């Protein structure tokens, strides 16, 4: 998944970014609302983590403008304001969740997972695809009764393919879904992760086809 983190406190922002990237997410860190808007013009995000008090404006104004423009990307507001009225007001503006600073990183991660599950309309975290069972929360797939663990990038890559079965996905598109702007990406990075994922899918009907000059396609679903 690709997240947009809008936080002007550099140490906190970097810490949250690094923690979420360890989970395999691509995370772009914006320290101003202007920078956040620039990122939105260049990438599509699955989740926004939004601070309220920012150098160039109020995050709540940003949130309201996003909702008025029809942007339904889930938003978790992060702020030191703990009053009930602040929380209720922010949720009424269109936030999907609210977490008060200082917070525990494990709680933030859990809230991110919960929102993404709700957005997908999924109660049980396990998904059945052909003869494969995928549990993104546990980070595993089950093939012919054998449970296989996925590394973080493998898991995110599988999520991307399962979200677009039968479609040809270019290397640029896959890079955009797996890596943030700040991460160095080698020319063969996608080939490496596709190769690793293919090994994990071995024995199932699902396969990743190489479409020469175009990209990759998941078939067998």
């Amino acid at each position: 998944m690709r997240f947009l983190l809008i936080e002007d406190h550099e140490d906190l922002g970097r810490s949250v970014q690094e923690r979420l990237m360890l989970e395999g997410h691509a995370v772009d860190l914006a320290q101003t609302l202007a920078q956040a808007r620039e990122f939105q013009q260049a990438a599509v995000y699955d989740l926004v983590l939004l601070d309220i008090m920012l150098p160039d404006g109020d995050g709540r104004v940003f949130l309201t403008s996003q909702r008025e423009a029809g942007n339904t990307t889930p938003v978790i507001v992060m702020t030191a304001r703990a009053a009930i009225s602040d929380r209720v007001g922010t949720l009424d503006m269109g936030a999907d969740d609210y977490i008060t600073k200082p917070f525990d990183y494990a709680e933030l991660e859990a809230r991110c997972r919960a929102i993404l599950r709700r957005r997908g309309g999924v109660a049980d975290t396990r998904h059945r695809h052909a003869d494969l069972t995928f549990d993104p929360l546990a980070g595993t797939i089950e093939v012919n009764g054998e449970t296989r663990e996925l590394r973080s990038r493998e898991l995110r890559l599988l999520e991307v393919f399962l979200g677009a079965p039968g479609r040809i996905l270019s290397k640029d598109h896959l890079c955009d879904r797996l890596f943030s702007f700040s991460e160095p990406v080698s020319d063969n990075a996608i080939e490496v992760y596709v190769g690793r994922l293919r090994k994990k899918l071995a024995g199932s009907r699902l396969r990743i086809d190489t479409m020469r000059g175009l990209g990759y396609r998941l078939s067998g679903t």
Side-chain angles (χ1 to χ4, degrees), residues 14 29 51 64 85 89 94 124 133 142 149-150 174 186 198:
R14 295 298 179 192
L29 173 58
D51 188 19
T64 299
S85 59
D124 185 350
T133 301
E142 184 177 310
E149 293 187 1
L150 298 175
L174 295 176
S186 64
R198 278 174 170 155

Side-chain angles (χ1 to χ4, degrees), residues 76 97-99 106-116:
I76 298 178
D97 203 353
Y98 188 110
I99 190 167
E107 179 185 359
L108 178 61
E109 291 168 359
R111 288 176 180 269
C112 291
R113 290 193 298 267
I115 283 182
L116 293 172

Side-chain angles (χ1 to χ4, degrees), residues 153-154 157 178-179 189-198:
R153 297 277 193 213
E154 297 165 357
L157 182 59
L178 294 184
F179 301 99
I190 294 301
E191 294 176 17
V192 170
Y193 287 113
V194 167
R196 291 177 181 175
L197 183 56
R198 278 174 170 155

Side-chain angles (χ1 to χ4, degrees), residues 9-28:
H9 190 287
E10 186 171 357
D11 289 343
L12 176 60
R14 295 298 179 192
S15 295
V16 172
Q17 182 184 39
E18 290 171 4
R19 183 66 181 250
L20 293 173
M21 287 172 67
L22 285 174
E23 292 288 307
H25 302 293
V27 184
D28 293 316

